[in-house]
Amino acid sequence: MKHLFYIGIIFSFFSTCCYSQQFNIEKKYRGNSFLNKVDMQKLEKDCSREDYINSDYSIQVEMDKRCPLHKFGNYFSNVLNSVDKSKVIYQKNGLTLKLSKEAFSFVEEEDDYSGAKLTLSLIQNNEIKDQITLANTFTNITNFLAVGYQYYYIAPSGDIYTLSLFEMDSGVGPQTWKHYKIDEKKLKFDLLQIYYGSYQITYPDDFSVVPNPDDIIDYNSSKFLECLNDETKEGCNRIHLYFYYLELLKQKTTLLVKKKNAPKNNLPLIKKKIDKLCLSKHSILYDDINSYYPIEVFLCEIKELKQEIKQAEIKLAK
């Protein structure tokens, strides 16, 4: 998982050749640079707090120290408090970046949530060209068992990083990391990367899933066999199906290479083609504070993998 966030640094390095404008934003509004190189796996581990309530105070303090997210939570509270309704944080060459604060509420699984968020607007000639949710804070007002946040960092290069998270008794759980780039020509916040749960995306042609080493898949179970017949069936684990067909395609392409019916690097090329197709057909570029799961992307990947397997089988039969 770690490599995804180092890619973000590489994006920032090469972006200087394509984007000349520097976004020099006042320190109290630029966010925290920690977010551009986060190791999500390590962060999740460091911020977990097993048996926190029943632990001694000194142990609780040590648990909190282990989680770096506690170190800059107050910074973002101050940012929210410093913005009344709106605040221009950058203005140059006809381009304006403006923060806007508003209250919001939503219902999820019969629980009511309430909070406030900061929206970042990209403006040219007084016209809003694009917007993203930059930061937020919200509370489960039904039982007060969970608090949510989103933190951010705006780099001078125009790269924007956001990290959403939930805080509960069990610790702080990082949810979604995103990497945007301010595109001055298209006048939009261009989404380059997403990390959420076990999947990671680098646009336009890289969709991958990080295997869970503790996840044992029984490919012979009746439930799994039912899902092979219909992957859209409720309760089917699309990640399991995805890995099944990806491994099957790998086996078929290996056989094709041995028969000299395909080049050695054929599988990465096929996967890149599938990823580009599915990511272009099924956009998950929506700015929602709720967690999301790219079901449509997985179903598209599964469908295309199955088609490639059939084509490989036809070639192997010749």
Side-chain angles (χ1 to χ4, degrees):
M1 298 183 190
K2 188 182 297 184
H3 74 279
L4 170 67
F5 302 94
Y6 295 153
I7 290 173
I9 300 172
I10 295 171
F11 265 116
S12 301
F13 176 78
F14 283 106
S15 64
T16 56
C17 67
C18 306
Y19 300 85
S20 58
Q21 185 157 310
Q22 291 290 296
F23 294 85
N24 296 315
I25 294 170
E26 191 177 351
K27 185 176 181 180
K28 68 177 181 178
Y29 294 117
R30 75 178 64 144
N32 196 296
S33 60
F34 169 84
L35 300 178
N36 74 345
K37 54 184 183 298
V38 168
D39 179 343
M40 287 285 275
Q41 187 179 33
K42 185 176 186 301
L43 188 63
E44 186 172 5
K45 181 180 178 181
D46 290 345
C47 292
S48 64
R49 301 181 303 198
E50 293 185 13
D51 203 27
Y52 183 81
I53 294 178
N54 298 322
S55 299
D56 292 337
Y57 176 73
S58 59
I59 296 176
Q60 291 179 345
V61 171
E62 288 302 314
M63 288 181 181
D64 290 340
K65 282 182 178 179
R66 205 172 59 222
C67 180
L69 295 175
H70 290 299
K71 296 178 181 179
F72 50 84
N74 289 336
Y75 169 90
F76 289 98
S77 295
N78 292 334
V79 173
L80 278 164
N81 292 333
S82 66
V83 177
D84 183 14
K85 290 185 178 180
S86 64
K87 173 69 178 180
V88 173
I89 59 173
Y90 176 85
Q91 199 165 35
K92 187 177 179 181
N93 299 333
L95 196 67
T96 299
L97 295 177
K98 185 173 74 172
L99 292 176
S100 302
K101 184 171 73 173
E102 62 177 295
F104 68 88
S105 61
F106 66 95
V107 178
E108 185 176 277
E109 297 180 355
E110 299 182 356
D111 284 350
D112 292 328
Y113 294 83
S114 180
K117 66 178 180 179
L118 286 179
T119 300
L120 181 66
S121 299
L122 181 64
I123 302 170
Q124 186 183 60
N125 299 326
N126 296 320
E127 181 182 352
I128 296 176
K129 298 296 183 178
D130 200 7
Q131 290 181 319
I132 57 172
T133 297
L134 195 65
N136 64 48
T137 177
F138 59 91
T139 304
N140 183 329
I141 60 176
T142 301
N143 52 36
F144 297 97
L145 292 178
V147 180
Y149 304 97
Q150 180 167 300
Y151 300 148
Y152 71 90
Y153 173 57
I154 305 174
S157 58
D159 291 276
I160 300 174
Y161 307 89
T162 66
L163 175 67
S164 62
L165 52 106
F166 275 99
E167 183 171 7
M168 297 176 284
D169 291 339
S170 58
V172 180
Q175 298 293 304
T176 308
W177 178 90
K178 294 181 183 179
H179 175 196
Y180 298 89
K181 179 75 176 181
I182 299 175
D183 191 321
E184 302 166 54
K185 294 182 179 179
K186 295 180 181 179
L187 295 172
K188 62 176 292 189
F189 298 113
D190 192 17
L191 181 59
L192 302 180
Q193 295 174 291
I194 298 177
Y195 175 93
Y196 173 75
S198 61
Y199 74 80
Q200 53 195 40
I201 294 170
T202 300
Y203 287 98
D205 56 9
D206 187 1
F207 177 86
S208 59
V209 184
V210 179
N212 181 354
D214 299 322
D215 193 8
I216 301 174
I217 307 172
D218 185 0
Y219 290 125
N220 296 315
S221 68
S222 58
K223 184 175 182 180
F224 185 80
L225 293 174
E226 288 177 8
C227 291
L228 283 180
N229 292 324
D230 182 9
E231 59 267 13
T232 64
K233 189 176 180 179
E234 187 176 353
C236 287
N237 190 315
R238 277 91 185 186
I239 295 180
H240 289 178
L241 290 167
Y242 169 84
F243 281 127
Y244 173 84
Y245 287 115
L246 187 60
E247 179 60 29
L248 189 56
L249 180 59
K250 181 180 179 180
Q251 294 173 9
K252 300 296 182 182
T253 52
T254 299
L255 290 173
L256 283 173
V257 170
K258 288 181 179 179
K259 289 186 66 175
K260 298 183 179 180
N261 286 354
K264 291 183 179 180
N265 62 343
N266 201 31
L267 182 60
L269 294 175
I270 292 173
K271 187 63 168 67
K272 188 174 284 289
K273 180 185 72 173
I274 291 174
D275 293 349
K276 187 172 184 178
L277 172 66
C278 292
L279 291 174
S280 63
K281 286 177 64 177
H282 303 285
S283 173
I284 56 174
L285 177 55
Y286 54 85
D287 226 9
D288 197 333
I289 61 173
N290 294 300
S291 301
Y292 52 82
Y293 181 78
I295 295 176
E296 294 82 4
V297 178
F298 269 109
L299 290 176
C300 177
E301 290 270 333
I302 292 167
K303 177 185 175 182
E304 296 302 321
L305 286 170
K306 289 166 68 175
Q307 289 182 357
E308 292 292 339
I309 291 168
K310 287 180 180 179
Q311 293 299 316
E313 289 173 341
I314 291 171
K315 292 178 182 179
L316 286 169
K318 292 180 179 179

